[in-house]
Amino acid sequence: SSVSAILLKEQGYDVIGMTLELFGGTCCNTDAIVGAKQICNSIGIPHITYNLKEEFQCKVINNFIDEYSNQRTPNPCIECNKYMKFGAMYEKAKELGCDYIATGHYARMIDNKLYKAVDLNKDQTYFLAQLTNKQLENVLFPIGELTKPEVRKIAEKYDLITAKKKDSTGICFIGERHFREFLENYLPNTPGDIVNIDSNKIVGKHIGLMYYTIGQRRGLDIGGTKERLFVVGKNLDRNILYVAEGENNKYLYSTSCIIDTLNLNDELPNTCYAKF
């Protein structure tokens, strides 16, 4: 986002830096806000903070907990983009008289349509999948045509504190290491059996179904098998976690899926691609 601001200023835009106060964690804590102000000062643009903690709790955190309570694995970034960055922040930008909002997403707008970024290793259109054409009308993605190394070079050229900052991982409002503790604050933890789906034998104990994702292979704490074990299913009524042995196991593969909340910004093409 700091490089996006620089590129826009070079192109002659009047740029305002905005940091959203959402929850805490690693993305919008005090250090992040101070860092953003420092960057804006060095670029020579004004900076404001916008408190959306209440809205974030309602639209993002509550949905996050609801999905886990139903044993699904949510992606909170999709909800955050839909309701916070390209929702509430967009409305705030209009109040400030801005013509556009711009972010540091690796994505592109071409002929008023959302396209993947040039750098496919960093493409973030997946996280923008629920935005409507209306929300995308006045949006700029300045780094969408650049690769990550090119973006870092620009940051180094301007001596930004973000130039050598490592890429963030994990869920921004939780951090990288506190996922289990976060969920325990909201949902009861009920341990149960881990069952091999082929043999129907109990092979271990799980710490609570909500902590496991279909396809997961790490963190099962089960030894003594010839091949790696993978999570392949859950039985909510009996509190059972099913696993299968070997990466070629038939239970790890499928030829179809059921989808919902489909967001079509254009006519459905003959060929579609899915990203998990």
Side-chain angles (χ1 to χ4, degrees), residues 12-254:
Y13 288 95
D14 291 326
V15 184
I16 300 172
M18 183 185 293
T19 301
L20 302 183
E21 293 184 78
L22 300 176
F23 188 82
T26 57
C27 65
C28 48
N29 56 25
T30 302
D31 289 341
I33 293 172
V34 170
K37 285 185 180 295
Q38 290 175 346
I39 289 169
C40 288
N41 286 336
S42 68
I43 296 172
I45 63 174
H47 175 270
I48 62 173
T49 58
Y50 186 29
N51 191 324
L52 290 173
K53 290 182 179 180
E54 188 175 327
E55 294 87 342
F56 189 77
Q57 178 71 45
C58 179
K59 295 291 187 180
V60 180
I61 301 292
N62 290 352
N63 175 266
F64 184 79
I65 300 304
D66 288 345
E67 287 294 286
Y68 269 106
S69 68
N70 289 310
Q71 305 306 324
R72 292 190 291 262
T73 304
N75 190 316
C77 296
I78 292 175
E79 301 299 308
C80 184
N81 282 321
K82 181 178 180 179
Y83 294 110
M84 301 294 105
K85 294 175 185 171
F86 297 88
M89 187 179 82
Y90 182 60
E91 294 302 316
K92 183 66 173 178
K94 286 198 293 186
E95 286 180 22
L96 294 171
C98 298
D99 297 307
Y100 303 93
I101 63 168
T103 68
H105 284 95
Y106 284 87
R108 293 182 292 166
M109 290 299 297
I110 303 174
D111 295 329
N112 298 316
K113 292 189 173 94
L114 183 65
Y115 277 75
K116 288 184 177 181
V118 167
D119 191 338
L120 294 179
N121 289 321
K122 290 296 179 182
D123 175 68
Q124 293 175 300
T125 50
Y126 176 87
F127 303 106
L128 307 173
Q130 285 297 310
L131 300 184
T132 65
N133 278 343
K134 182 68 177 173
Q135 287 176 296
L136 290 166
E137 270 181 356
N138 299 301
V139 170
L140 302 174
F141 298 118
I143 64 170
E145 300 284 347
L146 303 175
T147 64
K148 183 72 174 186
E150 289 172 330
V151 171
R152 286 204 182 277
K153 281 185 179 178
I154 296 172
E156 288 172 1
K157 175 185 174 183
Y158 284 88
D159 198 27
L160 299 181
I161 58 176
T162 52
K164 292 184 171 22
K165 183 181 177 182
K166 74 170 188 173
D167 292 347
S168 58
T169 58
I171 299 169
C172 63
F173 56 86
I174 297 177
E176 296 184 25
R177 303 179 184 276
H178 307 293
F179 171 72
R180 181 178 172 183
E181 292 89 334
F182 179 86
L183 278 188
E184 284 178 341
N185 289 329
Y186 294 90
L187 298 172
N189 178 16
T190 309
D193 293 330
I194 301 177
V195 173
N196 185 313
I197 198 167
D198 289 305
S199 67
N200 206 34
K201 292 182 178 178
I202 297 174
V203 294
K205 295 288 184 181
H206 66 74
I207 60 173
L209 292 179
M210 61 187 171
Y211 299 117
Y212 302 87
T213 300
I214 303 300
Q216 179 179 333
R217 65 176 175 83
R218 293 182 178 177
L220 297 177
D221 296 325
I222 301 172
T225 58
K226 291 182 180 179
E227 298 187 74
R228 286 175 171 166
L229 293 173
F230 295 82
V231 174
V232 295
K234 302 176 183 182
N235 185 317
L236 307 189
D237 294 331
R238 297 172 61 193
N239 194 28
I240 292 174
L241 183 72
Y242 288 105
V243 296
E245 193 171 338
E247 62 184 25
N248 292 315
N249 193 291
K250 65 181 181 180
Y251 288 102
L252 278 171
Y253 293 86
S254 62

